[in-house]
Amino acid sequence: MSIHPKTQPYKKILQLLPRLSAEEQLGLISKIILNLRKNLSTKLKPVNHTSVVTTVKGKYANIGTSSERFAQRKQEEIELEK
């Protein structure tokens, strides 16, 4: 996607921008962001979170420790330091 700064609407916005108050400029930015989100959301593929989680679990399947065991070992280390 390329920006065409020579298009008439673009030139017009640039010409009018200094005349807008800070609040009007923020409102314009908000509308641009909402428009971008709408346009991008229709172009992006939905993510299958289940397959992502399965892939991550598979990647670390060979690690023989759980987060509970790790937390327990950490607590034991803290107790030893006291």
Side-chain angles (χ1 to χ4, degrees):
M1 181 173 77
S2 62
I3 298 173
H4 302 287
K6 296 180 181 176
T7 62
Q8 190 61 31
Y10 185 88
K11 286 181 182 180
K12 188 70 171 172
I13 290 170
L14 288 181
Q15 183 181 19
L16 296 173
L17 194 58
R19 299 180 193 170
L20 296 176
S21 69
E23 291 82 14
E24 290 170 324
Q25 289 181 27
L26 286 172
L28 181 60
I29 290 169
S30 295
K31 289 187 182 205
I32 290 170
I33 290 170
L34 289 172
N35 191 55
L36 283 171
R37 284 182 179 164
K38 184 179 79 174
N39 289 339
L40 290 175
S41 69
T42 60
K43 294 178 183 177
L44 297 176
K45 296 178 185 177
V47 175
N48 182 349
H49 296 288
T50 304
S51 66
V52 173
V53 169
T54 304
T55 303
V56 171
K57 284 183 179 179
K59 180 178 179 181
Y60 296 102
N62 61 335
I63 296 176
T65 185
S66 67
S67 58
E68 291 86 9
R69 178 67 186 126
F70 176 78
Q72 181 184 3
R73 284 195 318 265
K74 275 302 200 187
Q75 188 59 41
E76 289 170 1
E77 287 177 21
I78 292 169
E79 293 297 323
L80 287 174
E81 291 176 1
K82 288 183 179 180

